[in-house]
Amino acid sequence: MKNIKFIIMGLLFGIILVKSEVISWFRIQEMFRLQSFHMYGVIGSAILVGLISIQLIRRFKLKTVNQEPVVIPKKKFHWGNVYGGLIFGLGWAITGACPGPLFAEIGSGFGVIVVTLLSAIAGTWIYGVLRERLPH
């Protein structure tokens, strides 16, 4: 039961995804067709919260609950991230799901999403095989 806090956080995250409708295939299609602001608002809010959180961590040199310093390394721009993002977005547009909500969708009873999950696992495996040959 050492990891019960992670199970509880995962369940809470899943409930938030379901209640905010970000796992809805229709909401995702609306986003990619530029028909609704819903998904852009949710994603934009997440980016804003992450941006503010990182700035607060850096400015006040916050520590973990175990009093270890939080280290957020600086990232260098690389075109590989752009290509990877485009491939990720294409998969998201085709399947109507990204990796986080997959489990919430399966938990909500959409069994067909198992195909998408298996495809995501296969994609991750292929990336692992090709990683050394890709530009990073």
Side-chain angles (χ1 to χ4, degrees), residues 55-123:
Q55 292 304 317
L56 289 174
I57 289 169
R58 284 186 175 156
R59 181 162 299 172
F60 296 108
K61 300 185 182 343
L62 298 180
K63 296 183 178 181
T64 66
V65 291
N66 298 325
Q67 296 304 313
E68 299 167 356
V70 177
V71 178
I72 303 172
K74 300 262 183 194
K75 297 283 185 176
K76 232 172 91 177
F77 176 79
H78 195 283
W79 279 103
N81 294 334
V82 175
Y83 300 135
L86 289 172
I87 293 170
F88 178 86
L90 180 64
W92 193 10
I94 291 172
T95 63
C98 67
L102 285 177
F103 297 100
E105 289 174 335
I106 292 169
S108 298
F110 300 107
V112 72
I113 299 299
V114 171
V115 174
T116 306
L117 176 62
L118 293 175
S119 300
I121 291 170

